[in-house]
Amino acid sequence: MTVLILTSEEDVTADMVVAKLHEAGTPMMRLDPADLPGKAVLSAEYAHGDFDGHLSVNGHVLSMGGLRSVWVRRPGEPAAHAPHPSPWLAAETRQALYGMLHSAATRWMNHPHNAEQARLKPWQLRVAHLSGFAVPPTVFTTAPRLAQQFAEEYRDVVVKSASGPPPGDPGLALPTTLIGPDADFSAVAAGPALLQRYIPKRADIRLTCVGTRLFAARKTAEPGQVDGRYGETGHAWEAVPVPERVGRSVRDYVAFAGLAYAAFDFAEDEEGIWWFLECNQGGQFGFVELETGQPISEAVALWLSQRKADRRVPARHW
Amino acid sequence: MTVLILTSEEDVTADMVVAKLHEAGTPMMRLDPADLPGKAVLSAEYAHGDFDGHLSVNGHVLSMGGLRSVWVRRPGEPAAHAPHPSPWLAAETRQALYGMLHSAATRWMNHPHNAEQARLKPWQLRVAHLSGFAVPPTVFTTAPRLAQQFAEEYRDVVVKSASGPPPGDPGLALPTTLIGPDADFSAVAAGPALLQRYIPKRADIRLTCVGTRLFAARKTAEPGQVDGRYGETGHAWEAVPVPERVGRSVRDYVAFAGLAYAAFDFAEDEEGIWWFLECNQGGQFGFVELETGQPISEAVALWLSQRKADRRVPARHW
């Protein structure tokens, strides 16, 4: 039974998992959907009330009946490397590849449709509330008056992007920024703003969830530092235990969201409370593993290799 | 409790449902996501462990607590009508709008993530098999040799597109076409082909499923007609009863796929068997209702208006 890794990049995180799969002797195939058709060949047959499919990369053939799991790492756009790429060729190739994979009785880390929902920030906050996390008061709005009211109510608020930094090369840095109620909120009418109560923090927490295994890491923050992603603190990530209550909330969250893998970011305040900031279903873990020594890539490899009760039907995406 | 219709078009199908909602006195809001921000204003607040959101269009305000259902009809791209549209503004606006709607305890026709999966043609065939439909043998492949083998095995086969006709204006017609085993299959290597055993048919069947209500319509085919969407037959759609076995399969299919609405296309062969061709989760029904008089728009309006057991949590997408 083979693990299929969909990725376009030779990133450290994927390489660490590949090494663990090799060590364990688990058969594995790596495919960039951009190489289909071309380097990769696909065939899916639906006949006699049954289904069988094959994927062939560099002469290695993977049968859908032998597919244990799919790791959706950083897949390229289907057919992007074709001699004459087009939106229609991409759509046809996406249909063939993902339609075939979705027809197989396989496990997904993460199922693409659960991943899509899990990317919605406002939905994340709602599910976090329902899972029992401490969540900083937050507003998403296109109404300048409501943005100002929110800033007046909570005084110290941060503004950040919901979808991430604007695309472009070179990329535009868009750190989370502290603002006061006297700011000019008129531009909110031109594009939705995400305002959140500022949590003065003594540390950043990254909690990685792989199946039912949790790995928490902590990095002390500089006093007054707002966005841990920008600027050096001189501190390193250190493994810390997961508070029992947080562990329960994490398990509720991933069960509700249908995620096999998730990376949670928290701000630890002066009283030691972990405030939910976001949950990235595709978050990196290489940097945490390298600094803390936590066996996250091994846990991912193990999850991908595990046999679950055989199912003859495609995975419903939950 | 209000029904929200996301659509960019004044199409006959949407208008028919709007008329039924008006007749029944059901409050309704129509929104094109392209008009946000601008004509529409949005605000979603996550605070005190709770959630509330508002959507305002032309001075009418809809609270998320008062949202009964969302009909995803033909929504425009978020922020497409903004003075300075951009991929990033679209992404931020999509986050705010869909994130807020997904946070609400509402019903969806259809849930966007179920709709996304239901569009995958190969997956449709697999689920149709498992639901007990008769499905013509089909192959999706980028291997010319396998395409040729398939054509030799089944003799009369049709080739069609999996994702629909190529985009463009004017659109390119791409009717389903009959080919023989002596065709040149070499181009299959450049883009996946969908080959299917040809079903000589005496009629086209359109079966519309709204919740648990089924409406079947039949149109006699011209002898030798391959694609019912192109060319006039001189015959009209007529209401026909749903065979019991087909009804069971339809209910299994929509339950598995998590769809509240689906339009099935079948080919009726000389022996009266209905062969599954495809299931379009967003298929039109206006033309069927106008010709057959079947109360489909009323069924849609009723489904959208119905109260289900109150839930305080967002709909999981199944």
Side-chain angles (χ1 to χ4, degrees):
Chain A
M1 299 293 281
T2 300
V3 173
L4 176 64
I5 303 180
L6 298 180
T7 193
S8 62
E9 289 175 25
E10 301 280 336
D11 60 335
V12 60
T13 295
D15 290 345
M16 286 161 71
V17 172
V18 167
K20 299 296 177 192
L21 289 169
H22 272 307
E23 277 173 32
T26 306
M28 190 210 80
M29 177 179 274
R30 198 164 176 154
L31 170 70
D32 182 358
D35 289 332
L36 180 76
K39 274 190 212 169
V41 177
L42 167 156
S43 211
E45 197 167 321
Y46 300 78
H48 317 300
D50 208 348
F51 153 71
D52 199 12
H54 295 88
L55 199 53
S56 152
V57 182
N58 296 326
H60 290 89
V61 178
L62 166 60
S63 156
M64 289 301 103
L67 180 63
R68 164 108 337 141
S69 58
V70 184
W71 187 26
V72 186
R73 176 67 200 143
R74 294 265 189 273
E77 171 87 344
H81 297 161
H84 305 288
S86 74
W88 190 62
L89 182 57
E92 290 282 301
T93 307
R94 185 178 304 110
Q95 277 275 345
L97 174 62
Y98 287 99
M100 180 177 83
L101 294 176
H102 283 254
S103 299
T106 190
R107 316 176 72 201
W108 290 85
M109 179 182 271
N110 285 317
H111 193 293
H113 301 294
N114 291 349
E116 194 56 32
Q117 173 159 283
R119 286 189 191 98
L120 290 170
K121 277 275 176 63
W123 181 86
Q124 288 183 17
L125 298 184
R126 182 68 185 137
V127 176
H129 269 146
L130 294 169
S131 304
F133 286 114
V135 183
T138 308
V139 70
F140 296 79
T141 189
T142 63
R145 193 179 51 80
L146 293 176
Q148 183 157 13
Q149 275 179 10
F150 185 88
E152 280 166 2
E153 183 176 356
Y154 294 103
R155 308 302 301 176
D156 286 336
V157 302
V158 291
V159 58
K160 46 185 180 175
S161 160
S163 66
D169 190 23
L172 187 63
L174 203 73
T176 299
T177 305
L178 205 56
I179 56 164
D182 53 345
D184 177 4
F185 290 96
S186 59
V188 165
L194 190 182
L195 301 178
Q196 190 165 62
R197 197 184 93 198
Y198 173 57
I199 306 291
K201 69 185 173 193
R202 62 183 189 195
D204 288 297
I205 304 286
R206 161 59 71 99
L207 189 155
T208 308
C209 173
V210 183
T212 54
R213 298 182 65 186
L214 311 186
F215 304 92
R218 181 183 187 278
K219 184 160 85 168
T220 302
E222 286 301 295
Q225 184 194 18
V226 175
D227 192 327
R229 295 169 301 176
Y230 299 92
E232 263 310 314
T233 64
H235 299 286
W237 289 99
E238 292 176 284
V240 289
V242 178
E244 193 190 323
R245 194 184 151 164
V246 170
R248 274 200 307 274
S249 294
V250 167
R251 292 195 175 92
D252 282 355
Y253 187 105
V254 296
F256 191 90
L259 299 175
Y261 175 89
F264 292 82
D265 286 325
F266 300 95
E268 181 188 296
D269 72 10
E270 293 301 329
E271 287 161 13
I273 293 173
W274 291 10
W275 291 86
F276 176 95
L277 297 181
E278 68 174 303
C279 174
N280 185 348
Q281 67 81 32
Q284 301 276 6
F285 57 81
F287 67 98
V288 180
E289 175 157 345
L290 292 173
E291 288 197 23
T292 62
Q294 289 169 318
I296 305 177
S297 56
E298 190 178 277
V300 170
L302 201 64
W303 190 95
L304 292 169
S305 314
Q306 266 162 6
R307 179 194 182 109
K308 280 278 160 171
D310 260 353
R311 293 182 302 195
R312 291 179 310 113
V313 299
R316 288 156 102 137
H317 49 101
W318 52 86
Chain B
M1 298 294 282
T2 299
V3 173
L4 176 65
I5 303 180
L6 299 180
T7 194
S8 61
E9 289 174 27
E10 301 281 334
D11 61 334
V12 59
T13 295
D15 290 345
M16 286 161 71
V17 172
V18 167
K20 300 295 177 193
L21 290 170
H22 273 307
E23 278 172 31
T26 306
M28 190 211 77
M29 176 180 275
R30 198 164 177 155
L31 169 71
D32 183 358
D35 290 331
L36 180 76
K39 275 191 211 168
V41 177
L42 167 158
S43 210
E45 197 166 320
Y46 300 77
H48 318 299
D50 209 348
F51 154 70
D52 198 13
H54 294 88
L55 198 53
S56 153
V57 181
N58 297 326
H60 291 89
V61 178
L62 166 59
S63 156
M64 289 300 104
L67 180 64
R68 164 106 341 140
S69 59
V70 184
W71 187 25
V72 185
R73 175 68 200 143
R74 295 264 189 273
E77 170 89 344
H81 297 162
H84 306 289
S86 74
W88 189 60
L89 182 58
E92 290 281 302
T93 306
R94 184 178 305 111
Q95 278 275 344
L97 174 62
Y98 287 98
M100 180 177 83
L101 294 176
H102 283 253
S103 299
T106 190
R107 315 176 73 201
W108 291 85
M109 180 183 270
N110 287 315
H111 193 291
H113 301 293
N114 292 348
E116 193 58 29
Q117 173 160 283
R119 285 190 191 99
L120 291 170
K121 277 275 176 62
W123 181 87
Q124 287 183 17
L125 299 184
R126 182 69 185 136
V127 176
H129 270 146
L130 294 169
S131 304
F133 287 114
V135 183
T138 309
V139 69
F140 296 79
T141 188
T142 63
R145 193 178 51 80
L146 294 176
Q148 184 158 10
Q149 275 179 11
F150 185 88
E152 281 165 2
E153 183 175 356
Y154 294 103
R155 308 301 302 175
D156 286 335
V157 303
V158 291
V159 58
K160 45 186 181 176
S161 160
S163 67
D169 189 22
L172 188 63
L174 204 71
T176 299
T177 305
L178 203 57
I179 56 166
D182 51 345
D184 177 5
F185 290 97
S186 59
V188 167
L194 190 182
L195 300 179
Q196 191 165 63
R197 197 185 93 199
Y198 172 58
I199 305 292
K201 69 183 174 195
R202 63 183 191 198
D204 289 296
I205 303 285
R206 162 58 72 98
L207 190 156
T208 308
C209 173
V210 182
T212 56
R213 298 183 64 185
L214 311 187
F215 304 93
R218 180 182 188 280
K219 186 161 82 166
T220 302
E222 286 300 297
Q225 184 194 20
V226 175
D227 192 328
R229 295 169 300 175
Y230 299 92
E232 262 311 312
T233 64
H235 299 285
W237 288 100
E238 292 177 284
V240 289
V242 178
E244 193 190 323
R245 194 184 152 165
V246 170
R248 274 202 305 274
S249 294
V250 167
R251 292 197 175 90
D252 282 356
Y253 188 104
V254 297
F256 191 90
L259 299 176
Y261 175 89
F264 293 81
D265 286 325
F266 300 95
E268 181 188 297
D269 71 11
E270 293 301 328
E271 288 160 11
I273 294 173
W274 291 10
W275 291 86
F276 176 95
L277 296 181
E278 67 174 304
C279 174
N280 186 347
Q281 65 82 33
Q284 301 277 4
F285 58 80
F287 67 99
V288 180
E289 175 157 346
L290 292 173
E291 289 197 22
T292 62
Q294 290 170 318
I296 306 177
S297 57
E298 189 178 279
V300 170
L302 201 64
W303 191 95
L304 292 169
S305 314
Q306 265 161 7
R307 180 194 181 110
K308 281 277 161 171
D310 259 352
R311 295 182 300 197
R312 291 178 311 112
V313 300
R316 287 156 102 138
H317 49 100
W318 54 84

